[in-house]
Amino acid sequence: MVCSVRAMLVLVAFIFPALVESAVLHYNFTVVMKNTTKLCSTKSIVTINGKFPGPTLYAREDDNVLVRVTNHVQYNITIHWHGVRQLRTGWYDGPAYITQCPIQPGQDFVYNFTLTGQRGTLLWHAHISWLRATVNGAIVILPKRGVPYPFPKPDKEKVIVLGEWWKADVEAVVKQATQFGLPPNLSDAHTINGRTGPVTNCPSKGFTLHVESGKTYLLRIINAAVNDELFFKIAGHNFTIVETDASYTKPFETDTIFAGPGQTTNALLTADKGIGKYLIAISPFMDTIVPVDNVTGIGFLRYKGTVAFSPTALTITPPINATAVTNTFLDRLRSLNSKKYPANVPLIVDHSLLFAMGVGINPCATCVNGTKTVAAINNVSFVMPTTNLLQAHYYNIGGVFTDDFPANPPTPFNYTGSAQPSNLQTTNGTRLYRLAYNSTVQIVLQGTTIIAPESHPTHLHGYNFFNVGKGLGNFDPIKDPEKFNLFDPVERNTIGVPTGGWTAIRFRADNPGVWFLHCHLEVHTTWGLKMAFVVDNGEGPNESLPPPPSDLTKC
């Protein structure tokens, strides 16, 4: 629920933007269990305010947002505001044991951050265990009052949250997989705004997008899935892409949208077809041998005036391994790079890092086969601490982490070759990489073919970055930078690492604190495919991390 006075303020600001300056907005998020029926099966799920997806957080650029999260379930919880820059507000970023201890049952915590210099669509989700499977929702950041969109103003806006659904209790699925040392069971369906749509032997209405002929809609599309990269299509209709991850892009037209977990896409849709009903389909992408939930999620676009029982116009989803479709979409993404919205790409690099990302096998005495599947960056499987890393950094508490994370793979090898390394074991540690304030960073995220090549949608907390290049095979530090786009590369907070390939990103470390970098496939995060940067203070209070809030959660 939103506090009533603040709700009116948001509504007034939305309808009459010239009347309201930047505001302080208060939201109440109550964590409760909710009995929910899908796929002809009922289970109790963790929700915010009893909703799945949870409530949409509306604000404007430069608004100050306060969200009180009260935990009434048996699980510890935190909320991450995915993609919010959190400039000097790292205490409120949300990843458990990275920037805060969890909110324990019966406790509450107030998140307090300002949406500085951001506008567009982001998401929020739980950031502990796999609770984000049902604890997630949209963040809509409107432009400042009187500032227009840099594209034709839509008649209406619609939020569309894509997700996954397990018939089983998701926490039990994770616990069992961890205990046995095996990959967790796949989800049973995909959802559109919480609805699965009709599936075999189980009728369901599915999600319906209602439109009127001739009107243009801004679709705010969020991939809140736990483990699946997804295609999004609407039969007979094209989209004009105008923004990704709350950064404006050069507009381009497409009939297929591709998004990894944690990524957002704003697209204009014009209702320019005949009155009737059109299929909405979301389907998974996986271009390697790794199993995936291959159930297509179904919804419907319905024009006003469509008669009952009208036939549905169908569409064909891309093949599950449609790499060419993903490349076509991703290669067309470019920053707007206008005078008002420049692309400030770092041209000189202080830290040039190569992060080899992949899976491995470690001993496990309690596991079924005596081993367990793990994941690592530069052969380090990240060990989650029991003390909040940001507190350990701020108070200089020893023994919690080291700042010796390797800048390159300790033992270089043919990362994308067919031959497997002789030793598939990884090291374990809570190792961070230290950056001076305002230093510039280039990371080449290098996929590997150990056990199986796989894509890694990778999220960096606390920053946007520019995706300056990508390619197949091993990154060539001499030839590949010659092809980098340093003029208008897309600006994002989550980027995919191609299967058997690499992605290069650049950013400026202008936000002091401790910032998580991890694969946004929850299965890989669980296995240890994560690390963190510690960014030191600069000069003066405006370049320094302030003290923690008095109500900061305790471990």
Side-chain angles (χ1 to χ4, degrees):
M1 296 287 290
V2 185
C3 296
S4 57
V5 174
R6 298 305 179 187
M8 288 298 296
L9 183 58
V10 174
L11 186 62
V12 170
F14 186 74
I15 300 174
F16 304 108
L19 299 181
V20 181
E21 297 288 345
S22 296
V24 179
L25 307 177
H26 294 254
Y27 283 81
N28 287 325
F29 277 19
T30 305
V31 190
V32 293
M33 303 300 295
K34 176 79 171 180
N35 284 336
T36 305
T37 301
K38 297 187 191 304
L39 305 178
C40 293
S41 163
T42 300
K43 69 172 183 176
S44 187
I45 63 172
V46 183
T47 69
I48 298 297
N49 299 349
K51 297 179 179 180
F52 170 68
T56 297
L57 191 158
Y58 287 95
R60 287 194 178 277
E61 179 182 352
D62 290 345
D63 279 351
N64 179 216
V65 179
L66 290 89
V67 185
R68 180 177 296 277
V69 177
T70 306
N71 187 4
H72 288 314
V73 303
Q74 70 269 34
Y75 302 107
N76 290 342
I77 198 163
T78 65
I79 302 294
H80 169 51
W81 315 96
H82 185 113
V84 172
R85 280 293 316 271
Q86 297 289 1
L87 288 166
R88 300 179 57 250
T89 54
W91 301 108
Y92 305 106
D93 188 42
Y97 301 106
I98 306 298
T99 60
Q100 70 169 108
C101 299
I103 305 168
Q104 298 175 21
Q107 294 184 348
D108 65 3
F109 179 61
V110 177
Y111 292 90
N112 182 353
F113 53 89
T114 299
L115 298 164
T116 305
Q118 291 185 280
R119 77 296 300 167
T121 304
L122 296 170
L123 69 153
W124 57 263
H125 59 78
H127 210 300
I128 185 169
S129 189
W130 284 32
L131 291 181
R132 72 176 170 98
T134 56
V135 180
N136 60 64
I139 303 174
V140 172
I141 311 172
L142 302 168
K144 287 187 282 191
R145 63 184 186 90
V147 176
Y149 292 128
F151 48 81
K153 183 180 179 181
D155 297 293
K156 293 185 178 180
E157 302 188 6
K158 302 283 187 179
V159 172
I160 297 179
V161 181
L162 313 180
E164 286 180 90
W165 184 263
W166 280 259
K167 285 186 178 181
D169 175 65
V170 179
E171 292 302 285
V173 169
V174 180
K175 184 177 180 180
Q176 181 186 52
T178 303
Q179 180 181 350
F180 292 162
L182 299 172
N185 292 337
L186 301 176
S187 56
D188 297 293
H190 293 106
T191 59
I192 305 174
N193 281 355
R195 297 178 178 269
T196 61
V199 296
T200 304
N201 300 322
C202 185
S204 172
K205 288 169 51 178
F207 167 73
T208 298
L209 175 63
H210 295 278
V211 300
E212 296 182 44
S213 294
K215 291 194 173 181
T216 297
Y217 297 80
L218 181 66
L219 304 184
R220 298 178 177 270
I221 301 166
I222 297 167
N223 185 350
V226 178
N227 289 316
D228 288 348
E229 299 177 289
L230 296 169
F231 295 113
F232 180 88
K233 293 191 73 173
I234 299 180
H237 292 73
N238 286 340
F239 312 98
T240 300
I241 307 301
V242 294
E243 177 238 297
T244 56
D245 291 3
S247 294
Y248 293 134
T249 63
K250 290 182 172 67
F252 68 91
E253 192 171 290
T254 180
D255 67 350
T256 304
I257 292 172
F258 171 70
Q263 291 184 329
T264 63
T265 307
N266 276 11
L268 296 173
L269 170 80
T270 300
D272 56 2
K273 305 303 177 186
I275 289 176
K277 190 165 65 169
Y278 297 81
L279 189 74
I280 300 175
I282 60 171
S283 60
F285 167 67
M286 176 58 71
D287 59 353
T288 184
I289 60 173
V290 175
V292 67
D293 177 359
N294 62 5
V295 176
T296 299
I298 299 298
F300 304 95
L301 180 147
R302 188 183 186 96
Y303 279 77
K304 184 177 181 180
T306 300
V307 298
F309 307 110
S310 293
T312 301
L314 303 180
T315 188
I316 299 174
T317 57
I320 194 170
N321 62 348
T323 308
V325 178
T326 67
N327 284 337
T328 297
F329 181 83
L330 296 173
D331 290 346
R332 297 179 72 186
L333 290 174
R334 293 283 187 272
S335 287
L336 196 57
N337 197 19
S338 64
K339 185 176 180 180
K340 186 173 180 62
Y341 304 104
N344 295 317
V345 186
L347 301 180
I348 298 173
V349 173
D350 298 317
H351 297 265
S352 185
L353 312 177
L354 177 66
F355 284 2
M357 309 174 72
V359 296
I361 301 291
N362 280 357
C364 176
T366 60
C367 296
V368 175
N369 299 320
T371 61
K372 63 179 179 180
T373 307
V374 295
I377 303 176
N378 284 355
N379 208 47
V380 179
S381 291
F382 191 83
V383 176
M384 294 296 284
T386 54
T387 298
N388 167 9
L389 288 178
L390 189 56
Q391 274 184 298
H393 163 59
Y394 186 84
Y395 291 111
N396 198 25
I397 301 172
V400 178
F401 69 86
T402 59
D403 59 2
D404 60 349
F405 189 88
N408 295 278
T411 306
F413 62 99
N414 183 0
Y415 308 112
T416 56
S418 57
Q420 297 284 306
S422 57
N423 184 5
L424 301 182
Q425 191 169 333
T426 68
T427 63
N428 300 317
T430 310
R431 302 170 66 180
L432 278 58
Y433 189 94
R434 187 173 294 274
L435 297 169
Y437 182 85
N438 219 33
S439 59
T440 54
V441 186
Q442 175 179 291
I443 311 174
V444 175
L445 303 168
Q446 173 70 63
T448 68
T449 54
I450 298 175
I451 302 179
E454 190 173 352
S455 173
H456 298 289
T458 302
H459 174 46
L460 175 62
H461 291 227
Y463 292 93
N464 282 0
F465 52 73
F466 293 98
N467 181 202
V468 296
K470 70 182 180 72
L472 294 178
N474 298 336
F475 174 72
D476 186 323
I478 304 300
K479 295 180 180 179
D480 286 327
E482 295 176 356
K483 298 175 285 186
F484 280 180
N485 176 10
L486 302 178
F487 174 68
D488 62 351
V490 67
E491 185 176 354
R492 307 206 75 154
N493 61 63
T494 305
I495 195 70
V497 179
T499 300
W502 56 270
T503 288
I505 64 174
R506 289 188 181 185
F507 66 97
R508 181 177 295 276
D510 58 359
N511 194 7
V514 174
W515 303 107
F516 213 18
L517 180 139
H518 62 98
C519 180
H520 218 260
L521 301 177
E522 202 62 61
V523 59
H524 288 171
T525 299
T526 301
W527 288 347
L529 211 164
K530 47 197 174 187
M531 60 82 65
F533 291 98
V534 53
V535 180
D536 289 325
N537 289 336
E539 297 181 4
N542 290 334
E543 296 181 357
S544 301
L545 179 70
S550 59
D551 67 337
L552 186 67
T553 47
K554 295 178 173 58
C555 292

